[in-house]
Amino acid sequence: MVSFLDSVTSQLLSKALDISLLKHNVIANNIANLDTENYTAFQVNLDKELSELKSISQSDATSAEKILSLKSLDVTDDSMLTQTGADVDLDRELVELNKNVTNYQALLSAKKNYGSILGMAIRGGK
């Protein structure tokens, strides 16, 4: 069931936060295994999921149908992970970690601002 407070925007932001969390965990795992013998780095491949998110959000379906489709989309699946075949490059991982943290903070801010706008609309603009 879709709540009247649910929206496509809110669901897209939630999925983006889930993806960012997955990326953070993969990067942290790579860094933790920096000195592990025969360990090759992993990366998150988002091509399929981003394409699916885009097609859902741009479809002609109703908002309720889009929300249900977005809720059912699993963006934390291990099938999104691919091994690079290369050793862990600490500098590269730290850069990716910083980019991901910045992205996560921006998404949190957007989610908070969206909630504030929704709250203001409910209160009649006050």
Side-chain angles (χ1 to χ4, degrees):
M1 178 175 190
V2 177
S3 162
F4 79 96
L5 293 177
D6 248 346
S7 72
V8 174
T9 302
S10 177
Q11 285 302 312
L12 285 170
L13 285 169
S14 294
K15 292 300 174 182
L17 284 165
D18 290 344
I19 289 169
S20 188
L21 179 61
L22 175 65
K23 285 178 77 171
H24 187 89
N25 288 335
V26 169
I27 294 166
N29 190 53
N30 285 342
I31 292 171
N33 286 291
L34 177 66
D35 293 326
T36 302
E37 192 173 322
N38 297 324
Y39 179 84
T40 57
F42 282 86
Q43 66 183 16
V44 178
N45 183 358
L46 300 173
D47 295 339
K48 183 182 121 201
E49 284 72 18
L50 290 177
S51 173
E52 218 168 321
L53 286 172
K54 182 178 178 181
S55 91
I56 291 170
S57 66
Q58 294 178 345
S59 74
D60 290 334
T62 66
S63 289
E65 292 169 336
K66 289 179 184 181
I67 291 167
L68 290 174
S69 294
L70 288 168
K71 282 184 175 185
S72 68
L73 185 62
D74 184 11
V75 293
T76 59
D77 189 3
D78 286 344
S79 68
M80 294 171 49
L81 304 181
T82 55
Q83 275 189 300
T84 63
D87 292 338
V88 177
D89 178 354
L90 183 59
D91 290 334
R92 181 187 165 289
E93 296 295 333
L94 290 174
V95 167
E96 289 299 315
L97 183 64
N98 282 317
K99 282 176 20 182
N100 193 58
V101 166
T102 302
N103 184 52
Y104 193 83
Q105 289 171 340
L107 289 166
L108 280 177
S109 179
K111 186 91 172 177
K112 176 184 172 220
N113 291 339
Y114 179 76
S116 296
I117 291 169
L118 188 58
M120 188 183 327
I122 291 170
R123 291 187 307 274
K126 298 176 185 175

